[in-house]
Every structure is written in structure tokens, then in C-alpha cells.
Amino acid sequence: MPQTRAALTELTRTRMLAESSVGRFALRDLLRVYAGELVREQETPSARTAALLRVYDHYLDAARTGAPGPCRVPAGPDPPSTAKAVPERPAGTQGTLRWFAAEEQVLHALLRQAARDGFHRHACRLAWWLQGYLDADGRSADAVAVLGVALDAARAAGDAREQARLHRALAGCLGRAGRRGEGLDHLDRAADLLEHVDDYLEHA
């Protein structure tokens, strides 16, 4: 840790990093572009994929571990974790809410990237925990948008059960947002999906 702090201090002093808030650092725009070019030139596709998975899994582990009470609803299994670091464990409800507030932009970006790059299960799980925080924070419209990204990912993966779970979650968020008619439509879609899944399993 002392070595890490010393490195961060030096990088910030030389303006290669920006400290957006206490203890939170970001690359300067030009340096970020250059770093991306180096990664694409020097790392193999498998190495880049493995690095992305470690990032997704780290945030997924932390989000699941720190999810406040309203988020703790069964949503299917998370993908097997490849994260090496111990996930952050915010202390208490207020600590959890502060963690989600601090990491919200990162979680949104990771969700979009996971969905775009075909990491569908990670996208769905990240969306699940993020929407739980947003919904608990009274931001049902934002939760609906997050679930929409996850639903597209579940469709791309051909996962009917996950689609049904997400339709039901959308129904709840839409109901709390005062859009009950749309919510009922999502409940109907969830029921249809589960009926087809059950029929398939019965005749398999």
C-alpha cells in the first residue's frame, strides 16, 4: 500500500492522473487513448479478454457483497468469478450507499461495455445489482433504463429464464414509477417466456 500511494502521488504530481475526489483517480484523456493503443498493439485478444473479465468480476463481487437490503433478490447465478482481489465490503447501509454512489458511473460504463462485447451474463448481473440500488434510491426511471440494457443482453444470449426475471423486475420498477400499464405488459411477457421454457423442459 505505501508503494501504491507513492506511485499515485507521483503520477498525480506529474499530471498523468487526476484525483477527482479523495482517493479516486482517473487517467487524463490523452493518456487514456495512448494506453488503449498500447494494449491493442501489445496484448493478445485472450489477454485483453482475461483482463476485462477480472474487472467485471471485481465490480460484480463488490456490488453483490455491498448490495443494500432492497437489492438482495434472487436473480439467478452469477458467472464464476475470476477476480483475484478481495472485493470491497462497505460497512453498513450508509457505507453501501456511498460505495454505489461513488461507483455508479463506472458500473454504468461496465454494464454497457459488457453488453456490447458479448459478456451477457456479466451485463445481466451488473444490471441487477445496479438497478436495485437505483430503485432503492427512488430513481425507478434510471433502474428501468439499466434493466433495458440487461434485457437486450439476455435476448442476445438466448436466455429465456433471464429474460423472464428481467421482465418481472421491469414490471416492479415501472409500477413504482407510475407506469402500471407498461409494467403489466412486462408481467405478461415474463409469463409467456416461462410457459415456453417449462414446455421445452417437459418435452426435452
Side-chain angles (χ1 to χ4, degrees):
M1 288 297 290
Q3 290 180 328
T4 301
R5 292 194 185 96
L8 288 171
T9 298
E10 179 62 17
L11 289 169
T12 304
R13 186 187 67 79
T14 57
R15 299 185 180 277
M16 298 182 75
L17 289 181
E19 189 171 10
S20 56
S21 59
V22 177
R24 299 187 62 80
F25 300 86
L27 287 172
R28 300 287 183 178
D29 290 341
L30 288 177
L31 188 59
R32 183 185 298 108
V33 172
Y34 178 60
E37 291 174 351
L38 286 180
V39 167
R40 287 188 290 274
E41 291 174 1
Q42 299 181 8
E43 300 293 341
T44 64
S46 60
R48 295 199 299 270
T49 296
L52 277 174
L53 281 172
R54 288 194 296 272
V55 173
Y56 293 146
D57 288 339
H58 171 75
Y59 277 94
L60 182 57
D61 288 348
R64 179 180 57 246
T65 301
C71 304
R72 295 189 181 279
V73 182
D78 285 335
S81 178
T82 61
K84 302 299 182 184
V86 176
E88 300 173 68
R89 290 182 168 82
T93 300
Q94 291 306 311
T96 292
L97 294 176
R98 283 194 297 271
W99 183 88
F100 271 97
E103 300 292 353
E104 182 181 342
Q105 289 187 357
V106 176
L107 293 170
H108 279 289
L110 288 175
L111 165 60
R112 292 191 298 270
Q113 182 169 316
R116 183 188 66 233
D117 292 347
F119 296 98
H120 301 306
R121 290 181 65 192
H122 287 80
C124 291
R125 298 281 70 78
L126 283 166
W128 184 268
W129 301 115
L130 179 55
Q131 69 83 25
Y133 159 71
L134 293 169
D135 199 32
D137 196 39
R139 296 155 59 192
S140 296
D142 292 338
V144 168
V146 163
L147 289 169
V149 175
L151 184 57
D152 288 341
R155 285 172 178 151
D159 189 336
R161 284 195 179 277
E162 186 67 19
Q163 291 175 57
R165 292 187 188 102
L166 291 164
H167 277 300
R168 287 187 295 192
L170 276 162
C173 289
L174 286 164
R176 287 184 286 279
R179 297 157 61 183
R180 295 180 61 85
E182 293 175 69
L184 291 173
D185 287 342
H186 280 284
L187 284 178
D188 289 340
R189 292 177 204 171
D192 289 343
L193 283 164
L194 289 175
E195 182 179 354
H196 290 135
V197 169
D198 291 340
D199 285 346
Y200 173 79
L201 292 175
E202 183 177 342
H203 294 96

